[in-house]
């Protein structure tokens, strides 16, 4: 990734938040796209996502979207001034065309597992529950099928016997943001 390549970041949760912070410290992120907050908790307060909170703290431009595939404002922005790369991390939405065909780099996902093992949700939790001794992080290009695109990079990490899923996710987010 270079400073001249326009980068968008699609993310929502804590794993994505850690990745965004690490990435934004090294390369400029031009736009952060996250979900529209839902009302939750006592008093049904509207709370921004962990990624939005990180983006605001880092001084990054943020767009909220219920569905990036049908959001006319975001699609217009994409058509008029497309990025060269979209990083999709812990987003919670399935990203479709026209984003998937983006040139020159496309949409890359940072996933906390050694794909093709443990696709989908909760890969670290499932690896720990099944007694795995290793896990890892995979960076791959998004395609129409979930967690199935060509792998760009992988890094394997041991799972210490006393590790929690939260600790492993933090470590995998840090590593995934740097490979």
């Amino acid at each position: 990734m270079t400073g001249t390549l326009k980068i968008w970041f699609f993310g929502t949760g804590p794993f994505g938040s850690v990745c965004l912070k690490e990435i934004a410290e090294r390369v400029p992120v031009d736009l952060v796209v996250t979900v529209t907050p839902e009302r939750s908790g006592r008093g049904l307060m509207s709370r921004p996502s962990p990624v939005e909170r990180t983006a605001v703290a880092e001084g990054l431009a943020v767009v909220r979207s219920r569905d990036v595939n049908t959001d006319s404002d975001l699609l217009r922005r994409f058509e008029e001034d497309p990025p060269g790369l979209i990083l999709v991390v812990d987003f919670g939405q399935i990203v479709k065309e026209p984003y998937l065909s983006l040139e020159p780099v496309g949409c890359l996902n940072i996933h906390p597992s050694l794909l093709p093992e443990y696709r989908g949700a909760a890969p670290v939790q499932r690896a720990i529950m099944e007694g795995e001794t290793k896990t890892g992080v995979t960076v791959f290009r998004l395609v129409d099928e979930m967690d199935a695109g060509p792998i760009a990079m992988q890094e394997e990490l041991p799972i210490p016997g006393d590790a929690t899923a939260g600790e492993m996710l933090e470590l995998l987010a840090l590593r995934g943001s740097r490979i």
Side-chain angles (χ1 to χ4, degrees):
M1 293 183 278
T2 69
T4 60
L5 184 69
K6 183 180 290 192
I7 300 172
W8 288 9
F9 187 98
F10 289 8
T12 300
F15 182 81
S17 176
V18 173
C19 290
L20 175 60
K21 182 169 178 35
E22 286 296 309
I23 290 165
E25 287 177 1
R26 292 191 333 276
V27 296
V29 175
D30 297 279
L31 182 67
V32 175
V33 179
T34 193
V35 297
T36 303
E38 295 184 14
R39 296 188 179 279
S40 64
R42 180 169 282 160
L44 296 176
M45 300 292 292
S46 179
R47 302 182 200 286
S49 73
V51 163
E52 182 175 348
R53 289 192 302 270
T54 296
V56 168
E58 296 293 321
L60 302 172
V62 178
V63 170
R64 294 173 170 177
S65 179
R66 290 196 189 284
D67 182 353
V68 296
N69 303 298
T70 61
D71 185 317
S72 60
D73 291 335
L74 188 60
L75 288 165
R76 182 175 30 262
R77 186 177 203 159
F78 178 82
E79 185 177 305
E80 291 173 359
D81 190 21
L85 167 66
I86 299 175
L87 294 168
V88 181
V89 186
D90 190 14
F91 188 39
Q93 294 184 32
I94 294 175
V95 177
K96 300 177 182 178
E97 295 295 351
Y99 305 109
L100 296 179
S101 295
L102 178 65
E103 294 296 334
V105 180
C107 294
L108 295 180
N109 180 261
I110 302 173
H111 193 276
S113 78
L114 292 172
L115 292 175
E117 298 295 318
Y118 300 106
R119 297 174 189 258
V124 172
Q125 295 86 333
R126 290 186 4 245
I128 290 172
M129 287 174 17
E130 292 187 20
E132 299 287 350
T133 58
K134 66 179 181 171
T135 188
V137 63
T138 302
V139 177
F140 68 98
R141 187 166 181 154
L142 290 181
V143 295
D144 281 327
E145 187 179 343
M146 188 171 176
D147 298 341
I151 292 173
M153 295 174 250
Q154 279 189 319
E155 183 177 339
E156 183 178 300
L157 294 158
I159 300 175
D162 61 346
T164 66
E167 293 165 343
M168 290 306 301
L169 283 165
E170 175 98 12
L171 179 58
L172 292 168
L174 293 172
R175 290 290 179 80
S177 300
R178 296 176 186 154
I179 60 174

